[in-house]
Amino acid sequence: QVQLVESGGASVQAGGSLRLSCSASGYTTTRRSMGWFRQAPGQKREGVATTNRDGTTNYAEAVKGRFTISQDNAKNTLYLQMNSLKPEDTAMYYCAADSIFWSRGPPLGAEAFRYWGQGTQVTVSS
């Protein structure tokens, strides 16, 4: 079983930065792919950034150049560095994991991930 616990969400002004963390437990074979997703009220959950254990990443167009996904395998922690935040980045952010390894990086679709955290809220004001 995998447990994912997100932290780091906060309220910030537009243009600011935040770093989200996701602490993971469980067998590493269940976490060959990991990712960050977000969901705003009334919206579908959307992929933000994903990575496999060798560091191959995929990013949503809306965050390319502003967000960076990274992982510290020794600490079993996934990060999302978010810079130049915009009001449209406001959402609940979720960490996700799955046992499938994608050689070109995991897809940004939520259906590709089996395990989910409870989320951390990010609010960006203008």
Side-chain angles (χ1 to χ4, degrees):
Q1 189 70 347
V2 176
Q3 283 193 319
L4 304 170
V5 180
E6 303 95 335
S7 62
S11 295
V12 297
Q13 297 274 356
S17 297
L18 281 176
R19 188 176 80 158
L20 305 184
S21 299
C22 172
S23 177
S25 62
Y27 293 113
T28 56
T29 53
T30 60
R31 294 182 273 119
R32 292 190 179 99
S33 293
M34 295 196 75
W36 288 98
F37 292 76
R38 66 187 182 186
Q39 188 168 19
Q43 302 294 318
K44 289 177 59 177
R45 190 169 295 190
E46 63 176 0
V48 175
T50 60
T51 183
N52 59 21
R53 286 189 68 83
D54 70 3
T56 303
T57 58
N58 285 310
Y59 290 91
E61 287 295 326
V63 306
K64 278 183 180 178
R66 300 189 298 123
F67 291 10
T68 303
I69 188 171
S70 62
Q71 57 192 332
D72 185 332
N73 291 332
K75 295 182 178 179
N76 293 318
T77 302
L78 181 74
Y79 302 101
L80 184 69
Q81 178 66 44
M82 304 187 295
N83 299 327
S84 302
L85 282 160
K86 304 176 181 180
E88 51 263 43
D89 294 319
T90 295
M92 185 72 78
Y93 282 71
Y94 297 91
C95 174
D98 198 83
S99 58
I100 301 295
F101 179 84
W102 300 82
S103 61
R104 296 183 179 183
L108 291 166
E111 64 277 3
F113 291 83
R114 200 176 332 174
Y115 306 106
W116 293 85
Q118 294 299 307
T120 186
Q121 178 68 38
V122 172
T123 303
V124 185
S125 58
S126 57

